[in-house]
Amino acid sequence: MKKPKAIKWLKHILTLIALYALTACALFGGGEEDPVKNLNLKMTPPPNPYEEIKVSSADHVWQSLKTGNTIAVNSSCVERNKEDLHSLEKGIFSGVDNVIVRSETKITVDGAPADRTYAEGKTDNIPISIDLVVIEKNNCTYDLAYVARTATFAAERALFDNFIERFHSP
């Protein structure tokens, strides 16, 4: 029996999110200290058509019921980070085939410096676009990601911009 396209797409997005969450833990783990999640994050969830889905590999993941696009946030807190933000970004994109970084900018999110990277690539031969924001604040690293089919990326990007503006970590 053939799987519906939406279920296949969800599987690929969740795999990508799992890869980026595991990469964050591996890169930012400090020696004997295991990374922990920041349970005190404050954010406004993306509005309709987004709905939160449970994924054990990330703190929060929302998926658009209209397009299948996802917005995710992941935290990793350790006393001393081993890697810089750029190294984390490279690790996250390693789960994407034929990745091409289109732009990289320095921004400020919640009063902390952040790197914002827009990249395109493929997963299971499906063209995808990724808008990734990596923030380092108070011994924690936060990854905010918008992952979408390239064809529907622009349709909901403003919702991700709004999500970034409302993100707060203690």
Side-chain angles (χ1 to χ4, degrees), residues 5-21:
K5 284 186 179 185
I7 292 173
K8 266 184 97 173
W9 172 239
L10 174 61
K11 178 183 151 208
H12 295 296
I13 292 298
L14 295 179
T15 300
L16 183 63
I17 291 167
L19 282 171
Y20 105 78

Side-chain angles (χ1 to χ4, degrees), residues 69-86:
N69 299 344
T70 60
I71 293 175
V73 61
N74 191 50
S75 65
S76 180
C77 303
V78 294
E79 186 62 34
R80 283 180 285 256
N81 289 338
K82 297 190 311 188
E83 299 289 335
D84 63 11
L85 298 181
H86 191 68

Side-chain angles (χ1 to χ4, degrees), residues 137-168:
K137 183 177 179 185
N138 298 331
N139 296 323
C140 292
T141 302
Y142 304 97
D143 314 336
L144 312 178
Y146 173 52
V147 182
R149 288 179 182 255
T150 300
T152 61
F153 182 81
E156 296 172 346
R157 190 174 192 185
L159 297 176
F160 182 61
D161 289 337
N162 189 271
F163 181 78
I164 294 166
E165 288 174 17
R166 295 172 182 246
F167 179 81
H168 176 70

Side-chain angles (χ1 to χ4, degrees), residues 44-56:
T44 302
N48 221 3
Y50 279 82
E51 184 173 283
E52 187 162 14
I53 57 175
K54 297 298 176 198
V55 178
S56 62

Side-chain angles (χ1 to χ4, degrees), residues 16-36:
L16 183 63
I17 291 167
L19 282 171
Y20 105 78
L22 292 173
T23 302
C25 291
L27 285 174
F28 286 90
E32 302 129 28
E33 186 183 2
D34 289 330
V36 296

